[in-house]
Amino acid sequence: MRTRIVAGNWKLNGSRLANQRLVADILGGAADLSDTEIILCPPFVYLPAVGEQISGSNVQLGAQNAAAQASGAFTGEVSAAMLRDVGCSHVIVGHSERRALFGDTDEIVAGRFRAVHEQGLTPILCIGESLEERESGVTMTVIERQIGAVLDAVGVEPLAASVIAYEPVWAIGTGLTATPEQAQEVHSHVRSIIAARDAKIAAGLRILYGGSVKGANAAELFAMADIDGGLIGGAALDAAEFLTICRAAAGNN
Ligand code: 13P
């Protein structure tokens, strides 16, 4: 049985005060959920403060992005080494908002993935199709292309220490969740893409679903064979809602 993961992607939200309250409330409820990995991904500037607040707990720290470059003249970027330095264990790469709004191509995402992996951090590689792509029947082709770019760049070995998050773009922030069956179909395909290179790595790979996950729909999603947890946006900003999702992942909802 793969240990489930629930990661909260706060996106461009938060303040020092709001974060303190949110994290305190999450810590209060997360303490007894030892068989699930819980990761909080605040904006860069809040990483040290959130890291300090969760230190010694069973909650881990993640960032929302990382530079492909190690250092130098790259204004506005944050390197994977810096993220490790401030206590991150995980880094989201290739989120659809980065891909759609900030020009992150498959190649750029592969570069970010490589940089994160080389620092010994766990990349959470986001993949997913747009509504137009789903409606024109190319969902699996898109997924294969997105994962293929990473496999071409780094090979399959780093996937043993990585997480993949399937986030259909049409389900993000829309209230429109993929059905458990729709998500399972893609997750199983993701696992088979990796299995074609390495069956053992594929069997151990955690594949998260993201896109309008809420307390009310988490358990049915996590019940699917290849859904190993969730990458949570909006509901990660509400401690009670987030904890309900964590409890669903831990199997005691
Ligand atoms: P929502 O949960 O708000 O749909 O966001 C999902 C997401 O993009 C997490 O990375």
Side-chain angles (χ1 to χ4, degrees):
M1 176 73 187
R2 294 175 291 266
T3 304
R4 292 209 184 98
I5 299 176
V6 178
N9 174 10
W10 294 3
K11 308 190 180 186
L12 185 55
N13 294 290
S15 68
R16 279 195 292 188
L17 187 61
N19 300 347
Q20 259 167 29
R21 291 183 179 147
L22 177 60
V23 173
D25 289 348
I26 289 172
L27 288 177
D32 55 339
L33 298 177
S34 53
D35 52 352
T36 301
E37 291 185 34
I38 301 171
I39 304 159
L40 302 182
C41 306
F44 289 132
V45 290
Y46 296 126
L47 287 168
V50 172
E52 197 165 312
Q53 202 176 348
I54 63 177
S55 120
S57 78
N58 59 336
V59 176
Q60 305 174 74
L61 192 64
Q64 298 176 17
N65 194 14
Q69 301 83 1
S71 65
F74 303 102
T75 302
E77 290 295 292
V78 174
S79 75
M82 293 170 186
L83 297 173
R84 190 161 62 83
D85 194 27
V86 299
C88 287
S89 53
H90 294 72
V91 183
I92 297 170
V93 296
H95 192 280
S96 67
E97 287 148 19
R98 300 293 325 169
R99 294 176 188 265
L101 304 173
F102 300 103
D104 277 19
T105 62
D106 289 333
E107 288 66 36
I108 291 172
V109 171
R112 298 188 191 285
F113 182 101
R114 181 208 302 275
V116 170
H117 175 70
E118 282 177 356
Q119 283 301 318
L121 304 178
T122 304
I124 301 176
L125 171 67
C126 296
I127 55 167
E129 82 288 3
S130 66
L131 183 58
E132 197 187 2
E133 288 164 340
R134 173 157 285 263
E135 286 177 345
S136 50
V138 296
T139 295
M140 299 311 186
T141 317
V142 171
I143 300 300
E144 286 160 16
R145 193 200 70 224
Q146 291 171 331
I147 296 177
V150 171
L151 290 174
D152 287 349
V154 300
V156 73
E157 213 42 58
L159 270 295
S162 305
V163 174
I164 291 182
Y166 169 56
E167 300 206 303
V169 178
W170 48 272
I172 295 178
T174 57
L176 208 68
T177 320
T179 64
E181 292 73 22
Q182 279 174 322
Q184 167 60 27
E185 188 187 16
V186 177
H187 282 228
S188 141
H189 189 60
V190 169
R191 205 176 297 288
S192 74
I193 294 169
I194 306 301
R197 305 274 190 119
D198 189 309
K200 187 157 175 274
I201 291 176
L205 178 69
R206 269 81 63 80
I207 307 172
L208 314 184
Y209 169 78
S212 299
V213 178
K214 304 275 179 271
N217 60 23
E220 58 178 18
L221 286 160
F222 300 161
M224 306 306 284
D226 291 295
I227 302 185
D228 306 306
L231 181 53
I232 319 301
L237 301 171
D238 177 320
E241 193 75 19
F242 187 68
L243 285 167
T244 304
I245 296 168
C246 293
R247 279 192 291 274
N252 46 3
N253 49 311

